[in-house]
Amino acid sequence: MSREPIVVDEGGFARGILLAVLLAALVGAGVTALLVNIVERKQEARNPFFRVVELTDDTEDPAIWGKNFPFQYDGYRRTVDQVRTRFGGSEAVPRTPTGADPRSVVAQSRLEDDPRLKTMWAGYSFAVDFREERGHAYMLDDQTFTERQHAAKQPGTCLHCHASVYVPYKQAGGGDIVRGFEKLNPLPYPEARARVRHPVACIDCHDSQTMQLRVTRPGFIEGIRAYKASQGIPNYEVNTMASRQEMRAYVCGQCHVEYYFQGPEKRLVYPWRRGLRVENIVAYYDSIGHKDWVHAETGAPVLKAQHPEFEMWNQGIHARSGVSCADCHMPYVRVGAQKISDHHVRSPLLNVAHACQTCHKWSEEELKARAEGNQQRVFDMRNQAMDALMDLIADMKSARSAADTGAAYQEAERYQRHAQFYLDFVEAENSTGFHAPQEALRILGEAINLARKGQLALRPLVAAHALRASGATRPSARP
């Protein structure tokens, strides 16, 4: 039996070896490329933007940040614009500079627009000077030079929302912003003012290393913690527990809120322990017996609403739909290949294409008409509420002049306090009701009701006063 010789294909074996080597080389190259890519992505994550200069947690000057973020800085500087919308905004009013006030331009006076405001705030510094708010670029100068500074001594607390305070708080508190906040609050305003240099700046809302949004104002940190506790969420830490979309509202809510100065230390407190609605806030103020001042014409212990945009926005359809402040006031824009937030913070009605039409597929004219229609209804109701309050104050003045200040008058004082705050809650909120139109109309309706109840409470006093003035005597019930 013969056997076939085994033939070895040396050429095929060599090709196999070569193929294996090539495959190994390709796999190795692929793994190497993957590792290099991972390293590059990690490096990019650590440096998500091109750095011209290094920023630190003490870089306060926005011009230095602007070297790394020129487009955002350009928008930030454009907040000097003064443009009026139908129901808001500011127009440039020329003034002659003085040694005490170097401003050559201011905003229009709201007191001249509606003198009823002087009666509503009689005896309070807002009855002396109250102008339409201007852009962020003016926030520090307008606070420094307002006539309210001369009408009443202002504390350092005001700077919490009128200046870039993150670095000054750190410096005053030895690195602790809350301790610095507590040190600056009770200082006389001029003394505290000397420690700040800029209006709100980049460092107040952004981490200098990651650019992540952050809340730096102690008033909001403490206020939102109290509010979350009222909702059953204890120990809330805003900078670690809030979502990115929430932060796009919270950084604005740091200042655009209702607040008061607590105690002789003038600690800034956001009155949210019972909730954010106007009833919750009034109930809180009543529970602690707080008053902002005593009304000069009626003697009632009354309240001044500040600028509760955050609270009103929370009651509106945009908040319920997950739309943040930044979505409308700082909408995304594309600059070349970049998508950035527009730091030219302003009314959405001045930027409908980016602020509204991104979500609403209607014409600019239609969207403006809808917004201004809502504002017109709120403005009309606001005027009715203002008239009702003026009527109540006039009746109280008459009763007070007749020395009728008993229980009925005290009840009227309570109605004035509440009616005035409800009205001011919409008056001081910078959207003429747009942030929550239905809620604004409800609040103003309640203000009218409270003012009229106050007048009804005074009826026995007014009747008795009229009777005495006429010299008549009350008819006897007996024959």
Side-chain angles (χ1 to χ4, degrees), residues 97-168:
T98 65
D101 182 353
R103 293 177 298 172
S104 59
V105 172
V106 293
Q108 68 271 26
S109 169
R110 291 293 312 281
L111 300 178
E112 293 176 5
D113 287 346
D114 189 345
R116 293 175 296 182
L117 292 169
K118 291 184 180 180
T119 302
M120 183 164 78
W121 297 324
Y124 201 45
S125 55
F126 276 83
V128 175
D129 185 18
F130 177 58
R131 295 178 180 276
E132 195 66 72
E133 288 82 0
R134 299 200 286 177
H136 283 168
Y138 298 109
M139 61 194 292
L140 184 54
D141 280 351
D142 285 351
Q143 172 66 22
T144 301
F145 299 116
T146 176
E147 289 297 317
R148 295 197 295 274
Q149 292 285 358
H150 307 293
K153 291 183 178 178
Q154 307 287 326
T157 316
C158 300
L159 294 170
H160 182 276
C161 292
H162 284 274
S164 179
V165 288
Y166 178 69
V167 172

Side-chain angles (χ1 to χ4, degrees), residues 104-378:
S104 59
V105 172
V106 293
Q108 68 271 26
S109 169
R110 291 293 312 281
L111 300 178
E112 293 176 5
D113 287 346
D114 189 345
R116 293 175 296 182
L117 292 169
K118 291 184 180 180
T119 302
M120 183 164 78
W121 297 324
Y124 201 45
S125 55
F126 276 83
V128 175
D129 185 18
F130 177 58
R131 295 178 180 276
E132 195 66 72
E133 288 82 0
R134 299 200 286 177
H136 283 168
Y138 298 109
M139 61 194 292
L140 184 54
D141 280 351
D142 285 351
Q143 172 66 22
T144 301
F145 299 116
T146 176
E147 289 297 317
R148 295 197 295 274
Q149 292 285 358
H150 307 293
K153 291 183 178 178
Q154 307 287 326
T157 316
C158 300
L159 294 170
H160 182 276
C161 292
H162 284 274
S164 179
V165 288
Y166 178 69
V167 172
Y169 279 168
K170 279 206 322 176
Q171 291 172 341
D176 185 332
I177 59 170
V178 174
R179 188 177 300 170
F181 162 72
E182 292 169 340
K183 283 190 174 180
L184 262 61
N185 283 340
L187 295 180
Y189 183 84
E191 187 176 337
R193 173 65 180 82
R195 302 192 182 204
V196 302
R197 289 167 289 279
H198 303 281
V200 64
C202 319
I203 199 167
D204 296 294
C205 300
H206 291 283
D207 182 290
S208 64
Q209 302 306 301
T210 66
M211 292 303 116
Q212 292 294 312
L213 290 175
R214 65 176 180 179
V215 171
T216 58
R217 299 297 203 266
F220 187 88
I221 292 171
E222 295 175 357
I224 198 70
R225 185 179 299 147
Y227 170 64
K228 292 290 185 179
S230 76
Q231 305 299 302
I233 305 173
N235 304 318
Y236 186 77
E237 296 293 338
V238 62
N239 283 315
T240 57
M241 298 173 72
S243 68
R244 171 172 165 72
Q245 188 64 2
E246 287 176 323
M247 290 298 284
R248 286 166 55 79
Y250 288 173
V251 290
C252 305
Q254 294 187 90
C255 295
H256 292 266
V257 292
E258 166 62 12
Y259 60 81
Y260 74 106
F261 300 162
Q262 186 182 69
E265 66 277 10
K266 303 298 182 185
R267 188 185 189 88
L268 185 69
V269 176
Y270 296 175
W272 297 343
R273 293 183 183 180
R274 296 174 179 234
L276 299 178
R277 300 183 72 181
V278 65
E279 289 90 344
N280 307 135
I281 294 172
V282 167
Y284 170 77
Y285 283 145
D286 287 349
S287 71
I288 61 172
H290 171 71
K291 65 176 184 297
D292 284 311
W293 87 105
V294 174
H295 196 273
E297 297 181 358
T298 68
V302 284
L303 302 164
K304 171 73 185 77
Q306 303 305 325
H307 27 75
E309 286 89 54
F310 180 73
E311 292 90 340
M312 286 292 283
W313 164 80
N314 265 282
Q315 314 307 318
I317 186 63
H318 285 97
R320 290 199 296 276
S321 302
V323 179
S324 74
C325 311
D327 288 320
C328 303
H329 293 278
M330 303 175 66
Y332 288 117
V333 293
R334 187 163 292 283
V335 181
Q338 287 185 307
K339 177 182 149 186
I340 66 171
S341 291
D342 185 356
H343 282 59
H344 183 192
V345 184
R346 53 182 166 161
S347 166
L349 295 180
L350 298 172
N351 190 20
V352 172
H354 289 111
C356 310
Q357 290 182 313
T358 304
C359 298
H360 300 288
K361 305 305 179 186
W362 298 89
S363 70
E364 182 170 338
E365 293 75 19
E366 170 67 16
L367 291 170
K368 281 189 70 175
R370 290 187 189 186
E372 291 177 349
N374 282 332
Q375 290 180 314
Q376 183 68 60
R377 283 187 283 276
V378 171

Side-chain angles (χ1 to χ4, degrees), residues 37-96:
N37 184 266
I38 290 173
V39 171
E40 288 177 347
R41 296 289 85 78
K42 286 185 174 180
Q43 190 64 23
E44 288 175 4
R46 283 195 290 269
N47 296 282
F49 49 88
F50 184 75
R51 296 172 189 265
V52 175
V53 295
E54 286 299 320
L55 303 174
T56 73
D57 201 42
D58 295 314
T59 306
E60 185 181 26
D61 187 350
I64 298 176
W65 290 63
K67 294 179 180 179
N68 287 347
F69 306 100
F71 300 122
Q72 291 89 340
Y73 181 60
D74 179 61
Y76 168 85
R77 295 184 66 191
R78 294 174 65 191
T79 59
V80 296
D81 287 357
Q82 288 190 248
V83 181
R84 195 170 186 167
T85 62
R86 183 173 173 186
F87 292 98
S90 63
E91 60 185 280
V93 177
R95 73 174 297 276
T96 302

Side-chain angles (χ1 to χ4, degrees), residues 383-406:
N383 280 333
Q384 293 184 40
M386 188 69 78
D387 286 341
L389 180 66
M390 295 301 104
D391 291 342
L392 173 59
I393 291 173
D395 283 357
M396 292 177 69
K397 285 171 62 179
S398 296
R400 195 182 189 204
S401 65
D404 288 327
T405 54

